[in-house]
Every structure is written in structure tokens, then in C-alpha cells.
Amino acid sequence: MEILVIEDEAPIREFEVTYLRDAGYGTIEAADGQAAVELFMEHKPDLAIIDINLPKMSGLDVCKAIRTTSTMPILIVTARNSDEDEVKGLSMGADDYIKKPFNPNVLVARVHALLRRHDRTRQLHFKGLVIDPETMSVIKDGKSITLTTTRFNLLLALASHPRAVLSRAQLVNQTYSDPSSHFVYDRTIDAHIKALRQSIETDPKNPQFIETVFGSGYRFIGVPEKC
């Protein structure tokens, strides 16, 4: 995950970057609004932290510019007594705000929460396939595909971890809302996978999306498309 940190005060920016990197995030840094927009267009980060008061281009304008092409999470940083900036930032499309001075652990926690929320709702784009968790819809080569809730959840579980091998037990845990109330045989998952392939694969015998890893489970092999 890559975070765009936009802050004109170098000590604060370095402070933010240090804690984010310690939490396992990659970072890109910008000291003014104009550079921030250019870096956003070039790198397509996963989240932006935007200070409101920036040189060359205000944080509000940066937020507005990002929102014209992206739904990625945006966290704005405001002054302690600036409720008006918070309202303006949220109206421009920011997802959350934090006031200076702030605890860096709270900043990292906000970033974690925003990314988790975004992951649950953002569309997954692959070559020939679009999966929308919010509407539980699937588009294959421009055409809508109807899936049962169980099969949609199964597809989403696999597609959310591209190239990772998921065991049948892991798929049960991620597919059913209350796995403990479902006694699911391995062959039940296999039957759902077979039906899923019939729905989304051009040639189910030569799958482009869901691959069997014998003795281990299944993995999603669709080719990602960045939006």
C-alpha cells in the first residue's frame, strides 16, 4: 500500500512518513499542492493525507482535483480550531479528518480504518472482469453475470487475494457470514467453484480466473487492470 503524504512543513511531514513506514506502508511525499497532484497522477497511490494549508495549490483544491478521477480514501489535516475547514474538506470529498497537533498512532489507526473500509467497497478490475462488492455485481466482458450470494462471496474472497492460494477451509471462513453454523464439505466448495467457472470463464476447462492448486485449494489468476 502506498500513501501520498502532502505537507509543507518538513518536520511534520517526516514525522508522518516515519510512523507510516514503521506501520508497513510505502510513502510518496509532496511539499505543495501542485506537486501533490502531479505525484498523484503519476503514482496512483492507495490513500492521500492532505494538509489544508499548502503553497501553490490549497489542500481543498488538491482534494477536489483527486476526486475528479479517483475514489481512493482521503484524510485531511486541519488546524485545531478550524471546524470550517473540516466541513469544506468533507464536502470536497475527503473521507475523514484529523486535527493538529495529533498523536501519530491515531493517524496510522485512521489510515488503517480508511483502507479497510475502502477495500470492502471498491470495485476490483481485471482483464475482462469487474467485481463490485457494494452492489454484489459482476460484469464479464461488458455483460452482467448473475451469481448467488455464496458464489459471489467465494469469487470476492479469491479475487481479493490475487495469486494467493486459499484452502477450502479459508474459503469457507471468508464465504459464509457465520462459518461455525455451516458444516461444509470440501466437495461443496468444489461444486461452487465448478458452477462459478461455468458463469465467468469463457472455457471452464482452461480457466483464466480461478485455478486449482492440487492438494492445496484455489487461487485467482485474473490479470489486474488499474483504474
Side-chain angles (χ1 to χ4, degrees), residues 106-217:
V106 173
L107 175 73
V108 172
R110 295 278 179 89
V111 168
H112 282 329
L114 285 172
L115 287 171
R116 279 198 308 270
R117 190 190 315 162
H118 190 61
D119 281 341
R120 287 196 297 268
T121 59
R122 68 177 173 182
Q123 291 184 341
L124 303 179
H125 290 257
F126 301 91
K127 185 177 180 181
L129 191 72
V130 179
I131 304 166
D132 189 336
E134 194 163 16
T135 61
M136 294 187 69
S137 61
V138 177
I139 305 295
K140 168 73 178 354
D141 293 331
K143 297 181 180 179
S144 179
I145 301 292
T146 300
L147 297 176
T148 65
T149 298
T150 297
R151 288 169 193 164
F152 178 86
N153 289 340
L154 185 57
L155 175 61
L156 182 61
L158 287 161
S160 297
H161 304 86
R163 312 302 303 182
V165 178
L166 298 183
S167 68
R168 290 168 178 82
Q170 287 174 309
L171 290 172
V172 168
N173 287 333
Q174 295 188 42
T175 297
Y176 295 93
S177 57
D178 183 8
S180 62
S181 69
H182 293 80
F183 186 74
V184 182
Y185 292 100
D186 284 355
R187 62 176 178 267
T188 303
I189 292 295
D190 295 340
H192 282 308
I193 291 288
K194 182 178 180 180
L196 196 49
R197 282 178 173 152
Q198 292 290 337
S199 297
I200 68 171
E201 301 283 7
T202 302
D203 179 2
K205 293 182 179 179
N206 296 286
Q208 300 175 14
F209 298 110
I210 301 174
E211 180 181 69
T212 301
V213 181
F214 293 101
S216 298

Side-chain angles (χ1 to χ4, degrees), residues 40-93:
F40 161 72
M41 296 299 292
E42 179 182 354
H43 293 273
K44 301 295 185 186
D46 298 287
L47 181 145
I49 300 172
I50 307 175
D51 183 59
I52 289 291
N53 299 308
L54 294 171
K56 297 188 179 179
M57 185 177 185
S58 76
L60 293 174
D61 286 336
V62 172
C63 185
K64 185 177 180 181
I66 289 173
R67 275 292 171 259
T68 61
T69 61
S70 175
T71 60
M72 75 170 186
I74 294 175
L75 176 65
I76 56 171
V77 180
T78 69
R80 177 187 291 273
N81 297 315
S82 186
D83 292 343
E84 186 179 347
D85 281 346
E86 293 160 16
V87 173
K88 286 181 179 178
L90 294 171
S91 68
M92 288 288 189

